[in-house]
Amino acid sequence: MCRFLVYKGREMFMSDLLLNADRSLIVQSYKAKERTEPLNGDGFGVGWYAPDIDPIPCVFTSTSPAWSNRNLFRLSEKIRSVCFFAHVRAATKGAYVSEFNCHPFQFEQFLWMHNGKIAQFDKIKRKLRESLEDDYYNFIQGTTDSEHAFAVFLNKLGNRISDYSSEDLCNALNSTIQQICEWQRAAGISDSSYLNFAISDGHNVVASRYVTNPEKEPPTLYISSGERFITHAGKFTMEPSLRHPNAVIVASEPLTSNRVPI
Amino acid sequence: MCRFLVYKGREMFMSDLLLNADRSLIVQSYKAKERTEPLNGDGFGVGWYAPDIDPIPCVFTSTSPAWSNRNLFRLSEKIRSVCFFAHVRAATKGAYVSEFNCHPFQFEQFLWMHNGKIAQFDKIKRKLRESLEDDYYNFIQGTTDSEHAFAVFLNKLGNRISDYSSEDLCNALNSTIQQICEWQRAAGISDSSYLNFAISDGHNVVASRYVTNPEKEPPTLYISSGERFITHAGKFTMEPSLRHPNAVIVASEPLTSNRVPI
Amino acid sequence: MCRFLVYKGREMFMSDLLLNADRSLIVQSYKAKERTEPLNGDGFGVGWYAPDIDPIPCVFTSTSPAWSNRNLFRLSEKIRSVCFFAHVRAATKGAYVSEFNCHPFQFEQFLWMHNGKIAQFDKIKRKLRESLEDDYYNFIQGTTDSEHAFAVFLNKLGNRISDYSSEDLCNALNSTIQQICEWQRAAGISDSSYLNFAISDGHNVVASRYVTNPEKEPPTLYISSGERFITHAGKFTMEPSLRHPNAVIVASEPLTSNRVPI
Amino acid sequence: MCRFLVYKGREMFMSDLLLNADRSLIVQSYKAKERTEPLNGDGFGVGWYAPDIDPIPCVFTSTSPAWSNRNLFRLSEKIRSVCFFAHVRAATKGAYVSEFNCHPFQFEQFLWMHNGKIAQFDKIKRKLRESLEDDYYNFIQGTTDSEHAFAVFLNKLGNRISDYSSEDLCNALNSTIQQICEWQRAAGISDSSYLNFAISDGHNVVASRYVTNPEKEPPTLYISSGERFITHAGKFTMEPSLRHPNAVIVASEPLTSNRVPI
């Protein structure tokens, strides 16, 4: 069911988030702890913002496992950013391994990731697609429920796509989740859907931790915020902030010890 | 715009069609002759039937160029069949290189290939998908116009999908082409669509060579039939047949000298 | 440290060995049981003989994990053989993921696989290569200790490479192991080397289970032999043989219940 | 026989060198002009320096053709550097497509590329390897003559590898070429070897254009230098410099109009 992480804060190297932290995303790719199935070897993706160049994030994806991708290792030592998305994938049955199915998905300034799954997605896929404006309809390249959910989100933002507030992003995410639940009900699907999403435009980060069935537990999601995420004697910690926090990490599994589940 | 070949006849080695003939499909992958753009390096696929095992064809596809794929070279020396499909791809803009976009496409006993393109496909994609029954709607994995056209074909066959005559296949192909043309007209698209298709179930092979604009030339397509396709002094030839031909090759470019354009 | 299997017996489908058995090699690729580290996701390879065509085996390898390779799934339903080699790889550090490093390795009629590792291989690599005849020196494509050990084996067979008895193969394998141990001693390497090898020419299969340090346990290796390897009510079993066995499986982990550790 | 380019000068975007110039390296990957065989589709690589981070260059390589690699397109819009290496490969027979065989090769602060081939390389390979110190012997991962030539270069630099002048680099390159010629002569090889090499450490760039047989033409190599490489009305030009040039491009084919063959 995948693992992901979002970082926003002072400029950091990708390697510190992906490779160097104790339970870095690379470690989660072969030995995720807080899941029954520890393996996330069906491709990966990283996205990051370079606001001094332009608002469009860069994305690097591959269907190879993250743990053996030499390009990823080499790039992560050289790429610094104030905002990262990273994702390791465990393919849900039927949504095959393909570059088109690697997260994060990107549309204009937005990055999107999903950890979870929409139950019996094929039963609502047609209705979902019909609801989309042409631009978002044709934007979809792959077969994942995740990318389709992104298209729903973009559709919900609608004509505010280039002029929105933080609240608009929150509302669009809420509304995306409600819409999916509604289609599920209409199709008579009672299996649980797991809807941990993350969306960013490089300035705002919005994330959800949600399961349709209140008796089930959604996949874990941790948030850690503070002054900055730094190394003390080889260990990464989030240094506490006295004021408004300058750094935040949202991740399927904690990279650090001072964390709070969402 | 891709190159393809179909073979039906006595059991042959894949290597004779792919590697050994003068202008084999491997040669066409880097040096196609009868096109302005000689390169077909955006993946390839082969499909073949093993009727002594079951009616479902085997498919081997890759996004790597055919000319350097060691698995293809090794397999083709060992795989024999009475019916082959093979395709080398030059990606149309917007339909990216992906395993999901490699031909031949397979559904149950059918293999399908396309050489050409549906003009401004995005403008009719939504209408096309809406017309499909759920099974064929959900069958589509990739983004090509070609795979979508296959779904239209399957939809046209409808409930005759497991009980049909050769004529039913011809009619379904005709009807697929007409339907695409109709959607094009309705969308006000006047650019030419190139619709060379091939379909087989291992017993029947149906192929079309078609362009929507009668003033344009469709991509080349040659047919060669005879007793058998054999080597004489290192050169492949189709040996003439006095009776009903036992072997037939339909290909974007002739592998042999005694051929007739379709 | 990889997992492998060899089958020799009546003609079987590759799918029965790779996919259908309870603890098939595909299962071992993501959930190997008899190892601390359950993951073998750094590529795979299969090899098989088609004696009615020629004595050279076919090999299909990929750096993608076996569990998600669609070509492997499709091919394994159609390929039947009397002799299979199959291998899933967990890369040893320093011997990177590459098609050149996928087992089985092939030279003329031979297939070779290794499960284990030669300790501090770089310290004996130069001496090893110097010992090789030009043909075997230039045969090496990758960086693994395993492929280099194969070259040593071929060198030991020497001019008997096209005219040998079963004993010659056993002797060459023994002699390969002794030679490696000798180079290790000469280089002052005391770390344990794990030398489970399998070699075949389609008729003979020779396998070793060996560790240089007698106090350590070599990787598991099981042998199962009988009349044939068949399905009884959805479960695979090796049917006992009253006479000389007609089928044999040598595998890192048992696929069947009636097995004997080597 | 490959195409390459080196840039050193003011910080530029990779996209301007790879994508935007008229005859960018991407164009050369499918339509090289100054060669009989226009195709360089057997993988590619880019390397660049980030001197504000550390002296080790970053390398991004792939066996896929450059023209369809989405990661390359996305990265090149975001990566800026004062020194780039880029290479598109046409594999020489026998040196198969593999990530290990993609240029540029990197060792510590050095990047190395080759356009050409060492004739009958297998005949001198053993002698070449024997001449190498252990570090460079074990550094070699792939099978190309090019990577082996790099090891010879490093060996020639010897203990000056972290303390050298520009002249030392020139001398080591000269001495590498002479050494290869000497081995060729000793092995009785009279076929021509083509030895266009480029080496950099981020500060110095040294390149050779050389063929062993004085009657043959080495592969083209152009040099262009000036104040800076800029866009005027959509066309890239090298702006002339009145003083010591600040920008230099060395490339198999000119990207610009004001160039001088080496």
Side-chain angles (χ1 to χ4, degrees):
Chain A
M1 267 215 230
C2 315
R3 302 274 82 177
F4 71 53
L5 86 75
V6 178
Y7 169 80
K8 177 143 191 358
R10 292 164 191 241
E11 197 171 70
M12 275 192 76
F13 277 103
M14 200 199 286
S15 53
D16 285 337
L17 294 165
L18 253 59
L19 312 176
N20 302 338
D22 275 3
R23 287 167 66 190
S24 72
L25 208 71
I26 294 288
V27 172
Q28 294 182 36
S29 73
Y30 59 85
K31 213 179 259 187
K33 243 177 153 167
E34 311 201 0
R35 298 176 55 217
T36 337
E37 178 52 72
L39 185 56
N40 294 282
D42 296 325
F44 70 88
V46 287
W48 64 94
Y49 289 87
D52 55 326
I53 298 175
D54 64 22
I56 308 299
C58 193
V59 171
F60 175 69
T61 54
S62 170
T63 57
S64 95
W67 66 75
S68 64
N69 192 288
R70 292 195 292 160
N71 286 324
L72 178 64
F73 281 68
R74 294 184 295 211
L75 287 168
S76 71
E77 301 289 352
K78 293 294 186 292
I79 287 166
R80 283 176 292 203
S81 179
V82 295
C83 184
F84 282 107
F85 267 48
H87 189 277
V88 288
R89 182 162 181 247
T92 0
K93 211 189 139 299
Y96 301 118
V97 173
S98 153
E99 264 192 42
F100 289 161
N101 290 344
C102 291
H103 309 221
F105 299 97
Q106 176 254 331
F107 184 89
E108 304 285 352
Q109 76 272 35
F110 294 112
L111 288 175
W112 173 271
M113 300 189 288
H114 176 203
N115 172 15
K117 79 172 220 200
I118 299 177
Q120 299 184 57
F121 174 59
D122 272 1
K123 289 203 180 152
I124 68 159
K125 189 176 177 181
R126 187 192 280 265
K127 201 165 236 172
L128 183 160
R129 287 186 76 110
E130 275 167 18
S131 80
L132 301 173
E133 288 175 40
D134 278 358
D135 281 358
Y136 309 130
Y137 189 95
N138 287 320
F139 157 72
I140 296 169
Q141 301 273 328
T143 57
T144 60
D145 49 357
S146 314
E147 189 189 19
H148 283 79
F150 184 24
V152 175
F153 172 87
L154 294 168
N155 213 48
K156 292 287 176 194
L157 257 191
N159 48 20
R160 279 161 303 151
I161 198 158
S162 49
D163 175 24
Y164 52 83
S165 65
S166 309
E167 281 67 38
D168 290 336
L169 295 180
C170 291
N171 293 341
L173 183 56
N174 263 328
S175 163
T176 300
I177 293 175
Q178 281 169 29
Q179 179 68 79
I180 291 169
C181 293
E182 203 172 293
W183 283 322
Q184 296 279 92
R185 272 193 304 273
I189 299 166
S190 57
D191 298 0
S192 303
S193 289
Y194 298 89
L195 305 176
N196 288 13
F197 293 122
I199 174 91
S200 181
D201 58 0
H203 303 287
N204 304 282
V205 175
V206 181
S208 63
R209 183 174 180 237
Y210 188 81
V211 61
T212 49
N213 179 343
E215 289 171 21
K216 299 272 179 154
E217 187 76 3
T220 55
L221 195 62
Y222 292 87
I223 186 163
S224 168
S225 64
E227 187 53 26
R228 48 186 177 166
F229 186 59
I230 45 159
T231 326
H232 277 311
K235 291 277 175 199
F236 278 87
T237 1
M238 186 61 86
E239 186 181 273
S241 172
L242 298 175
R243 305 151 303 138
H244 186 71
N246 277 315
V248 65
I249 292 175
V250 179
S252 307
E253 301 197 3
L255 307 175
T256 68
S257 49
N258 48 343
R259 82 266 178 181
V260 187
I262 288 187
Chain B
M1 270 217 227
C2 315
R3 303 274 81 178
F4 71 53
L5 86 76
V6 179
Y7 170 80
K8 178 144 192 357
R10 293 164 190 239
E11 199 171 71
M12 274 192 78
F13 278 103
M14 199 197 286
S15 53
D16 284 337
L17 294 165
L18 254 60
L19 312 177
N20 302 339
D22 273 3
R23 287 166 66 188
S24 72
L25 208 69
I26 294 289
V27 173
Q28 294 182 36
S29 73
Y30 58 86
K31 214 179 260 189
K33 244 176 151 166
E34 310 202 359
R35 298 174 55 215
T36 336
E37 177 51 73
L39 185 57
N40 294 283
D42 296 324
F44 70 89
V46 286
W48 64 96
Y49 289 86
D52 54 327
I53 298 176
D54 64 21
I56 308 298
C58 193
V59 172
F60 175 70
T61 53
S62 170
T63 57
S64 94
W67 66 75
S68 64
N69 192 288
R70 293 196 291 160
N71 286 323
L72 178 64
F73 281 68
R74 295 184 295 211
L75 287 167
S76 71
E77 300 288 354
K78 293 295 187 291
I79 287 166
R80 282 177 293 203
S81 178
V82 295
C83 184
F84 282 107
F85 267 49
H87 189 277
V88 289
R89 183 164 179 246
T92 0
K93 211 192 140 295
Y96 300 118
V97 174
S98 154
E99 264 192 40
F100 289 161
N101 289 345
C102 292
H103 309 221
F105 298 98
Q106 176 255 331
F107 184 89
E108 303 288 349
Q109 75 273 33
F110 294 111
L111 289 176
W112 172 271
M113 301 189 288
H114 177 203
N115 172 14
K117 80 174 220 197
I118 299 178
Q120 300 186 55
F121 174 58
D122 272 1
K123 288 205 180 152
I124 67 160
K125 189 176 179 182
R126 186 192 280 265
K127 202 164 234 173
L128 182 161
R129 287 186 76 109
E130 273 166 21
S131 79
L132 300 174
E133 288 176 41
D134 278 358
D135 282 359
Y136 310 129
Y137 189 95
N138 288 319
F139 156 73
I140 296 169
Q141 301 273 327
T143 56
T144 58
D145 49 358
S146 312
E147 189 188 19
H148 283 79
F150 184 23
V152 175
F153 172 87
L154 294 168
N155 213 50
K156 292 287 177 194
L157 257 190
N159 49 19
R160 279 160 304 150
I161 196 157
S162 47
D163 175 24
Y164 52 83
S165 65
S166 309
E167 280 66 37
D168 290 336
L169 296 180
C170 291
N171 293 339
L173 183 56
N174 264 327
S175 163
T176 300
I177 292 174
Q178 282 169 27
Q179 178 70 76
I180 291 168
C181 293
E182 203 172 293
W183 284 322
Q184 296 279 92
R185 272 192 303 272
I189 299 166
S190 57
D191 298 359
S192 304
S193 290
Y194 297 88
L195 306 176
N196 288 13
F197 294 122
I199 174 89
S200 181
D201 59 0
H203 302 288
N204 304 282
V205 175
V206 182
S208 63
R209 181 171 182 239
Y210 189 82
V211 62
T212 49
N213 179 343
E215 289 171 21
K216 299 271 178 155
E217 187 76 2
T220 55
L221 194 62
Y222 291 86
I223 186 163
S224 167
S225 64
E227 187 54 27
R228 50 185 176 164
F229 186 59
I230 46 158
T231 325
H232 277 312
K235 290 278 174 197
F236 278 87
T237 2
M238 186 62 85
E239 186 181 90
S241 173
L242 298 175
R243 304 152 303 138
H244 187 72
N246 278 314
V248 65
I249 292 175
V250 179
S252 308
E253 301 197 4
L255 308 175
T256 68
S257 48
N258 46 344
R259 83 265 178 181
V260 187
I262 289 187
Chain C
M1 270 215 228
C2 317
R3 303 273 83 176
F4 72 53
L5 86 76
V6 179
Y7 169 80
K8 177 142 192 1
R10 292 163 191 242
E11 199 172 68
M12 275 193 76
F13 277 103
M14 199 199 285
S15 54
D16 284 337
L17 294 165
L18 253 60
L19 312 177
N20 302 338
D22 274 3
R23 287 168 66 189
S24 72
L25 207 70
I26 294 289
V27 172
Q28 294 181 38
S29 74
Y30 58 86
K31 214 179 257 187
K33 241 177 156 167
E34 310 202 359
R35 298 175 55 215
T36 338
E37 178 52 71
L39 185 56
N40 294 284
D42 296 325
F44 71 87
V46 287
W48 64 96
Y49 289 87
D52 55 327
I53 298 175
D54 64 22
I56 308 300
C58 193
V59 171
F60 176 70
T61 53
S62 171
T63 57
S64 95
W67 67 74
S68 64
N69 192 288
R70 292 195 293 160
N71 286 324
L72 179 64
F73 281 69
R74 294 184 294 211
L75 287 168
S76 72
E77 301 287 353
K78 293 296 185 293
I79 287 165
R80 283 176 292 202
S81 179
V82 295
C83 184
F84 282 108
F85 268 49
H87 189 277
V88 288
R89 182 162 182 248
T92 1
K93 208 189 140 299
Y96 301 117
V97 173
S98 153
E99 263 192 42
F100 290 161
N101 290 344
C102 292
H103 308 222
F105 299 97
Q106 176 255 331
F107 184 88
E108 303 286 350
Q109 75 273 36
F110 294 111
L111 289 175
W112 173 271
M113 299 190 290
H114 178 203
N115 172 15
K117 80 171 221 203
I118 299 178
Q120 299 185 55
F121 174 59
D122 272 2
K123 288 202 180 155
I124 68 159
K125 188 176 179 183
R126 187 191 280 265
K127 202 164 234 171
L128 182 159
R129 287 186 77 110
E130 274 167 19
S131 79
L132 300 173
E133 288 176 41
D134 279 358
D135 281 0
Y136 310 130
Y137 189 95
N138 287 320
F139 156 73
I140 296 169
Q141 301 273 327
T143 57
T144 60
D145 49 357
S146 314
E147 189 189 20
H148 282 79
F150 184 24
V152 175
F153 172 87
L154 294 168
N155 213 49
K156 292 287 177 193
L157 257 191
N159 49 19
R160 279 161 303 151
I161 197 157
S162 48
D163 175 24
Y164 53 82
S165 65
S166 308
E167 281 67 38
D168 290 336
L169 295 180
C170 291
N171 292 341
L173 183 55
N174 264 327
S175 164
T176 299
I177 292 174
Q178 281 169 29
Q179 179 69 79
I180 291 169
C181 294
E182 203 172 292
W183 283 322
Q184 296 280 90
R185 273 192 304 272
I189 299 166
S190 57
D191 298 359
S192 303
S193 288
Y194 298 88
L195 306 176
N196 288 13
F197 293 123
I199 174 90
S200 182
D201 59 359
H203 303 287
N204 304 282
V205 175
V206 181
S208 63
R209 181 172 182 240
Y210 189 83
V211 62
T212 49
N213 179 344
E215 290 172 19
K216 299 273 178 151
E217 188 77 4
T220 54
L221 195 62
Y222 292 87
I223 186 162
S224 169
S225 64
E227 188 54 27
R228 48 185 179 165
F229 186 59
I230 44 158
T231 326
H232 277 310
K235 290 278 174 199
F236 278 86
T237 2
M238 186 61 85
E239 187 181 274
S241 171
L242 299 174
R243 305 153 303 138
H244 186 73
N246 277 315
V248 64
I249 292 175
V250 179
S252 307
E253 302 197 3
L255 307 176
T256 68
S257 49
N258 48 344
R259 82 266 178 181
V260 187
I262 288 188
Chain D
M1 270 216 227
C2 316
R3 303 274 82 177
F4 70 54
L5 86 76
V6 179
Y7 170 80
K8 178 145 192 356
R10 293 165 190 238
E11 200 172 68
M12 273 192 78
F13 278 102
M14 199 198 287
S15 53
D16 284 336
L17 293 165
L18 253 59
L19 312 177
N20 302 339
D22 273 2
R23 287 167 66 189
S24 73
L25 208 69
I26 294 288
V27 172
Q28 294 182 36
S29 74
Y30 59 86
K31 214 178 258 188
K33 242 177 154 164
E34 311 203 359
R35 299 174 55 215
T36 336
E37 177 52 73
L39 184 58
N40 294 283
D42 296 324
F44 70 88
V46 287
W48 64 96
Y49 289 87
D52 54 326
I53 298 176
D54 64 23
I56 309 299
C58 194
V59 172
F60 175 70
T61 53
S62 170
T63 57
S64 95
W67 66 75
S68 63
N69 192 288
R70 292 196 291 161
N71 286 323
L72 179 64
F73 281 68
R74 294 184 296 211
L75 287 167
S76 72
E77 299 288 353
K78 294 294 187 292
I79 288 165
R80 282 177 293 202
S81 178
V82 294
C83 184
F84 283 106
F85 267 48
H87 189 277
V88 288
R89 185 165 178 245
T92 359
K93 211 190 138 294
Y96 300 117
V97 174
S98 154
E99 265 193 40
F100 289 161
N101 290 345
C102 292
H103 309 221
F105 299 98
Q106 177 254 330
F107 184 89
E108 303 287 350
Q109 75 273 35
F110 294 111
L111 289 175
W112 173 271
M113 301 189 288
H114 177 202
N115 171 15
K117 82 174 218 196
I118 299 178
Q120 300 185 54
F121 174 58
D122 272 1
K123 289 203 181 154
I124 68 158
K125 188 176 179 184
R126 188 191 280 264
K127 202 164 235 172
L128 181 161
R129 287 186 77 109
E130 274 166 19
S131 80
L132 300 173
E133 289 176 40
D134 279 358
D135 282 359
Y136 310 130
Y137 188 95
N138 289 320
F139 155 73
I140 297 168
Q141 301 273 327
T143 56
T144 58
D145 49 357
S146 313
E147 188 188 21
H148 282 79
F150 185 23
V152 175
F153 172 87
L154 295 167
N155 214 49
K156 292 287 177 193
L157 257 190
N159 49 20
R160 280 161 304 151
I161 197 158
S162 47
D163 176 24
Y164 52 83
S165 65
S166 309
E167 280 67 39
D168 290 336
L169 296 180
C170 291
N171 293 339
L173 183 55
N174 263 326
S175 164
T176 299
I177 292 174
Q178 282 170 28
Q179 179 69 78
I180 290 168
C181 294
E182 204 172 293
W183 283 322
Q184 296 279 90
R185 273 191 303 272
I189 299 166
S190 57
D191 298 0
S192 304
S193 290
Y194 297 88
L195 306 175
N196 288 12
F197 294 121
I199 173 90
S200 182
D201 59 0
H203 303 288
N204 304 283
V205 175
V206 182
S208 63
R209 182 173 182 237
Y210 189 82
V211 62
T212 49
N213 179 343
E215 289 171 19
K216 300 271 178 155
E217 188 77 3
T220 55
L221 195 62
Y222 292 86
I223 186 163
S224 169
S225 64
E227 187 55 27
R228 48 187 178 163
F229 186 59
I230 44 157
T231 325
H232 277 311
K235 291 278 175 199
F236 279 87
T237 0
M238 185 63 84
E239 186 181 276
S241 172
L242 298 175
R243 302 152 305 137
H244 186 73
N246 278 316
V248 64
I249 292 175
V250 179
S252 307
E253 301 197 3
L255 307 175
T256 66
S257 49
N258 46 343
R259 81 268 179 180
V260 187
I262 289 188

